[in-house]
Each structure stands twice: as C-alpha cells, then as structure tokens.
Amino acid sequence: MRLIESRATLVLTYALLALLLVVTLFPIALLVINSVKPAAQIVQNPLAWPEAFRWDNFTRAWTDARFGQTMLNSAVLSGLTIVLVCTTGSLTAYVLARRKIKSWKIITFYLLATTTAPIQLFLFPLYFGFAKLGLINNAVAVSVVYTAVWSPFAVMLLRTYFLAVPKELEEAALIDGASHWQVFTKVMLPIVSPGILTVALIIGLYSWNEFLIATTFLQRADTTTAIVSFFLLSGQYSSDWGEIMAAALIVVLPVIILFILLQRRFIEGMAGGSVKG
Amino acid sequence: MHRFYVVPTLVINVAIILVPALLTVALAFFRWDGINMPVFIGMGNFQALWADRVFWTALTNNIIWTLLFLTVPIGIGLLAATLLLVARRGSMFFQVIYFLPMIIATAILARIWQGMIYSPVSGVNGMLQRMGFPTLDPLTQPSTALLGIATVDLWHWWGFLCVIFFAALRQVPQEQIEAARIEGASFWQMMRYVLLPGIRPTITLMMIMTVIWSFLVFDFVYILTQGGPAFSSEVLSTLAYRSAFYDLAVGKAAAVAVVISIFGLIATAFYIREQAREFDR
C-alpha cells in the first residue's frame, strides 16, 4: 500500500525518519566512542573520535565494578526469575485462556490490576518483613518478588498463545485417554513454546535491567547485581567517564547482541504484552 | 483439578503484592520507624503531607509529567508511525533502532545523559559552554531539573509508542484506505477520518497506561537528581522512597504510596474496562 505517490513527500518522509534515527542513536554513539577514550580527552571533546584506544578502561571497569561477581549474580537472578515466571505463568495462562475455572474472570482482572500497582505500595512492608526473616541479600527471595511483579504480564502474553491452539487438539488427546496434566505438558506446552521463549527473553531482560528492587533488596557487595554495581561505580569514580562508559557497555553488550539476533521476538513481546491484554 | 494450576501464581502474587499493599494502607495511619512498635496516629500522616510543601511539589510534578507524556511522546510516536506507513520500505530497520533505547537499563541511560550530554565538565553541554554558548546543566537548575529528566525518559520512550502505533495502523482495513483514496482524500484527510479513528482503541489504551506509568516514574528521577535541587524535581515515588529508607518515616512513606495508588486506581479502572471488552470478544 502506498498512501502517497509524490516523490517530494517521500523524500521528506525519509528525511524525518533519518532525523529521528540520529536523535535516537546520538547518546548511544556517545556511550560507545567514549568507552575507549581517556578521561582527559572526554573532558576536551566528548564528540571526537578517540585518538588513542584505551582498552584498559574495560579492564579497570571490570575490576572496579566487580563484574566477575555481579554479572554472575545478575545471570543467576535472571535465570531463577525466568524459570519461576515461565513455570507458574504458563500454568495460569492455560487455565485462564481456556476458562477452565469459574473464577477465571476475577483472577484475570485481579492480575491486571496488580500490573498497575506502584512498587511503593508494597515495597516498605515487604522490605521490613524480609529483613525480619533474613531474606535481604537473598537472590531467591528477589526472584520471587520479580515473579510476582512480572508474572501478570507473562500470563497475559502467554494467554494469547494458548488461545491460538485449536480446542480439537485438546479434546482428541483427552478422548485418547490422556490425563489433564498430560494434555497440558505433552500437547499444549510444545505448541506454545515460542510464546514461552518470548516471555523468557523479556523477563530475562527485565530482571537484568531492574534497578529499584535490586538496589533495595541486594545491598551486600557479594550479592548485588551488575546494574547496581554499575550505579555505585558511576557514583564513586565520577571523574573517569571513560571507565564509567566502558562499564556501561559491558553491562549493555549482552543485551544488545541478543536484541539484534532476536529483534522481532523482543519487540512483539514487549509491545504485545501491554497492548493485547 | 485445574484449580491448582493457578495456585502458584496467585500465592506468590498475594504474598508479595496484595498482603504488603494492604499493610501499607494500614501503615499510612501509623507512625513507624521500621524498628519499634508502630504508633496509631489516625490521619496524622495525611495531615502532615497536606502541610508539606515538598509533597505538593511532588504531586504537581507528577501531574506535569503526566500532561507532558500524554502529549509529546504520543505525538512523536504517532508522527513516526505514519511516516513509516508512508515510507514502508525499511520500516523494520527504523523500528528496531527506535526501539533500541527501551532495552537498555534506565540506570545506564541516565548516566549516559548525565555524563555525556548534560554535564558541564565531561558532556556535550560543557563543550558548548566552552565554545561560548550560554547553555546550562538543566539538572542543576530548580526550574529545569524536571524537564531535564523528562527529556531522557521521553527520548527512550517514544520509540515504544511508535512501534505499537505502527502495528495498529497496519491493522486498519485496507478497503477503508482504498475507498478514501478513490474519493480523492488528501493525506491529512486520510489521517483525520480513516487512520486515527481506526487506531483509536490503541491510542486510548496508551493514554490510560501513560497516566498509570506517570505516577510510577522513579528510576530516572532517583538516579539523575534524587529529587533535587531543593526538591524541585521530586515526584511522589521518590518522596515515598526517601521517607521510608532515608528518614525512616515509614508511615509517611505509606501515606504517599496510598496517594499514588489513588491516582493509579482511577486510571486502572479505565484500563480494566478497556481490557474487559477485549476478553468478551
């Protein structure tokens, strides 16, 4: 479909799109070029191409932000959250999509309502409760918090995948004598596995990037996440922006690579979960 | 049997969100430092907030934020989405780039803007100053701090809206567009009478979500200014956080959280009503 044939309009359209492209990429380009520059040259001109490549920005960032430890913490936390969200979420999404129980509507609306609850509404009692139970600095406890916060999103997204599965498939399996549990694990799960992969990716991204809950619940140096250790580094050594940008790039790089490889999945998942309901 | 399938999700959700949320509502009527026994003070926390200048600044800032985000990013997102519709070729490429800031952690985006753009020492801003331009670091001025933060959030946010609007625009029935074309509709007429009405449900939903999200905004404010200078960029969520963990006034923090939730609740009611239509289909 072409809305307009005029050549001038088309040129103007691409010019505007390109302008937006530059605006979007400008700060990200600054991140990349300044990550290899010595602090003195950044102060001189943050826009200039690096004169000498300071690769040691990365090694210093790695040691100062203790990424060896904190990236591992982030990976463990993300992994735990992915497993928890995908297992509990797919069970719930199946039941809600197929309206297997009478209260499906109430549960759906309850879950929708919690997606809009401000974190501050439950953060304070949760923090002091966890402190009393000795659950501060505990990755499993934080992954449970993440699961509570993001599983409604996952349920709504997976629900649309379950809806797309033809009912006859389920009925046929039941007639063949499969139990409900077998229908779910052997018939439904394999079909909706692309949806589960999307959810896993997005939940992984969210937990890798999350700041407020991580900074509140994971305070001890050996339990904190990469984002929090980056935040602390950039507060402490605020003069060496080369090192800070290098640290930022280290944390962002795995995310960007995954995004480039699986762009469609990321975009459809993030956009779909909040719109389609 | 299927009843048990929803148990894990519900148990986790109720234990982490619902129960603590109800406790927060209760705590709003107590004075509590997080350590000693809470003391019941009735409406005391709310009265204190009513008299607190910072609370009103924060509430005003949240409202400014909401109005800003209801217009600017939705406008840019719609514009870009229609441009993509006109251009067609390369639309996936543009979408991926516009979406890119959404996948980068807020803490990192905040530091890039702070150090590489706004900073009078290491940023583009400092370079402009040395070249003789009278630019200021917006984050250090009480009158511009909130706008400085909002710019960063806007910059990382509009691409998300663009992608959503573009997806919706492509769902507008082809026959309507063809019919309008045969009738000789101009581009603006096409927008006004065919495309925008066609994606109205999506725009409405995004506006409702914008209101909800605007009252939740935390990361960028907390990292860029901590609500300063002189509380000029404070929003309700940072006020609540600071009250609880820095001033150990947990009751006051709970009261602020309740205020945030009241605003959120109104928007949430609309949100659920919109979504309910979807479920009934």
Side-chain angles (χ1 to χ4, degrees), chain B residues 23-197:
Chain B
L23 284 173
T24 304
V25 175
L27 265 179
F29 300 95
F30 286 83
R31 184 189 302 124
W32 191 38
D33 56 8
I35 303 153
N36 298 305
M37 276 301 283
V39 183
F40 182 76
I41 52 164
M43 296 298 286
N45 286 318
F46 293 98
Q47 281 161 353
L49 285 183
W50 188 267
D52 185 354
R53 203 179 46 81
V54 177
F55 168 74
W56 290 107
T57 313
L59 183 60
T60 315
N61 282 344
N62 272 115
I63 292 170
I64 295 174
W65 193 279
T66 309
L67 295 177
L68 206 60
F69 276 74
L70 277 175
T71 49
V72 181
I74 291 188
I76 302 177
L78 272 174
L79 174 75
T82 26
L83 289 175
L84 287 176
L85 202 63
V86 173
R88 256 319 160 75
R89 205 163 295 170
S91 66
M92 192 62 202
F93 167 73
F94 284 112
Q95 282 190 84
V96 168
I97 302 288
Y98 296 161
F99 202 83
L100 188 62
M102 273 299 285
I103 59 143
I104 300 178
T106 48
I108 287 173
L109 296 178
R111 286 299 192 221
I112 298 174
W113 275 78
Q114 196 173 27
M116 298 293 101
I117 294 174
Y118 288 151
S119 163
V121 182
S122 55
V124 175
N125 187 29
M127 212 180 73
L128 290 175
Q129 285 178 1
R130 284 190 298 278
M131 284 160 70
F133 292 98
T135 55
L136 287 167
D137 178 357
L139 300 180
T140 57
Q141 310 296 317
S143 58
T144 54
L146 188 73
L147 279 180
I149 303 164
T151 305
V152 182
D153 202 335
L154 279 172
W155 165 82
H156 111 289
W157 174 239
W158 71 267
F160 177 75
L161 292 175
C162 167
V163 168
I164 285 178
F165 290 145
F166 182 58
L169 280 174
R170 283 197 293 189
Q171 306 286 313
V172 175
Q174 196 65 44
E175 305 86 64
Q176 292 181 14
I177 295 170
E178 279 304 316
R181 256 162 56 96
I182 293 165
E183 299 285 326
S186 74
F187 176 70
W188 293 113
Q189 285 171 326
M190 181 84 86
M191 275 308 283
R192 172 77 185 76
Y193 297 106
V194 181
L195 295 179
L196 285 184

Side-chain angles (χ1 to χ4, degrees), chain A residues 93 96-97 99 108 154-164 277, chain B residues 279:
Chain A
L96 295 184
R99 306 187 179 177
T108 310
V155 168
M156 297 309 146
L157 190 63
L158 285 172
R159 187 183 152 272
T160 60
Y161 283 88
F162 279 112
L163 280 177
Chain B
F279 288 119

Side-chain angles (χ1 to χ4, degrees), chain B residues 1-14:
Chain B
M1 269 323 281
H2 286 117
R3 218 171 310 147
F4 297 110
Y5 288 22
V6 295
V7 168
T9 302
L10 283 182
V11 165
I12 292 176
N13 199 287
V14 167

